[in-house]
Amino acid sequence: SAGKASERRLASSISVATTARSLARSHSAGSRIPTRRRDRAEASLSSLVSARYPESLGNAGSLSVADAVDAFEVLTVAGSGRLGVSDGPAERAAFAMPSSVLQLPDGSLLVCDTANNRLCRLMRHPGGDGSGGGGASGVVVSTVCAKVSWLSPSGLALLADGSGVLVSDSGHHKLRRIELATWAVTSWAGAGKKGHRDGVALGNDGAQFDSPGGLCVCPDGTVLVADTGNHCLRAISTSAHGGRSVRTVAGCPCVRGHRDGAAYVARFDV
């Protein structure tokens, strides 16, 4: 079988380019990638392997993401491997299509348990060694913001000041904010109606998304959104007075495809 590692880059001049090569690998026992191709794979994945498991979760320094390079290692942090929904010791917890993972300022992890329509938090039990309910790893999984109605949450990003987390509430076609000091949840962008519309972030006549997914907070505070169902990238900016507005920065709304070039001619697919 063959795997692919691909990445597209939005340049400072707002153009789109494919930057990572396709990487094929036989998965038969003992197979290896030729050295030159392995070097390219390592280069394309370097930004992934720089992420490490936080020390609070144990296994500090282990590689957290792996693909087609022999030197990489995959470790199970949480989940029994069975489809389901349950909290508790990480080894026995159950998920359904978990997607985005975000490290919080306190070292714990926040996870979108997408098909279970919930958010989970992974953190070391105060016992530290598994005594008192933490399992062998000492890590516990717990549902957070349980009173909030989520629908296929699928994207997470920490705000620049570290005070809150943005969540793509994909099924509700909006972005929500979690205030980390209180875990209170508020709407942050999107009218909650499926569609495509730029403009003010909130309100009945506010911006519209279609199944927003991945999020990225830029150094200047601008939030980029992979507006999956609209096949485009959106940007959310905050004014000096605190008002937020949404604009499309790359891709043609509702037109799917693959094309590099200037942002307005670029095409994306789901």
Side-chain angles (χ1 to χ4, degrees):
S1 61
K4 288 186 177 180
S6 62
E7 175 185 288
R8 300 177 75 193
R9 177 173 57 89
L10 198 63
S12 57
S13 58
I14 314 299
S15 62
V16 178
T18 300
T19 58
R21 308 290 179 84
S22 295
L23 303 171
R25 175 187 182 178
S26 168
H27 292 279
S28 59
S31 64
R32 298 182 64 84
I33 305 175
T35 300
R36 292 182 62 185
R37 299 187 67 197
R38 185 165 65 248
D39 289 344
R40 290 201 301 267
E42 289 170 349
S44 68
L45 295 172
S46 61
S47 63
L48 299 180
V49 301
S50 64
R52 295 177 176 270
Y53 288 132
E55 201 165 312
S56 59
L57 293 180
N59 297 320
S62 299
L63 297 175
S64 58
V65 179
D67 200 351
V69 181
D70 297 325
F72 291 178
E73 179 184 4
V74 178
L75 301 175
T76 298
V77 178
S80 62
R82 62 181 177 82
L83 183 69
V85 52
S86 63
D87 292 338
E91 300 90 313
R92 299 198 294 272
F95 303 91
M97 297 179 66
S99 53
S100 295
V101 180
L102 175 69
Q103 183 177 344
L104 300 180
D106 65 0
S108 63
L109 297 180
L110 190 63
V111 181
C112 287
D113 190 8
T114 303
N116 280 327
N117 301 315
R118 67 169 184 159
L119 298 181
C120 300
R121 188 181 182 191
L122 280 66
M123 60 187 305
R124 178 172 288 281
H125 189 274
D129 59 357
S131 60
S137 67
V139 178
V140 174
V141 177
S142 58
T143 301
V144 296
C145 307
K147 294 183 179 180
V148 176
S149 175
W150 303 100
L151 187 57
S152 301
S154 61
L156 297 170
L158 185 69
L159 289 171
D161 62 3
S163 65
V165 171
L166 296 181
V167 183
S168 287
D169 194 358
S170 294
H172 288 134
H173 312 294
K174 64 169 61 177
L175 271 60
R176 293 167 131 172
R177 171 183 171 142
I178 300 175
E179 188 69 32
L180 290 178
T182 61
W183 289 90
V185 179
T186 55
S187 293
W188 198 79
K193 301 173 184 177
K194 181 179 179 179
H196 179 279
R197 181 165 62 201
D198 289 339
V200 296
L202 292 172
N204 291 332
D205 295 324
Q208 293 179 350
F209 299 91
D210 184 351
S211 307
L215 302 173
C216 175
V217 178
C218 301
D220 66 355
T222 300
V223 176
L224 296 179
V225 183
D227 194 2
T228 308
N230 282 319
H231 315 296
C232 60
L233 297 181
R234 316 285 291 279
I236 305 174
S237 303
T238 303
S239 71
H241 302 290
R244 291 186 295 278
S245 60
V246 181
R247 69 187 190 278
T248 301
V249 294
C252 182
C254 307
V255 179
R256 64 195 307 172
H258 181 284
R259 182 190 298 168
D260 292 341
Y264 68 93
V265 301
R267 297 291 184 266
F268 301 93
D269 206 340
V270 175

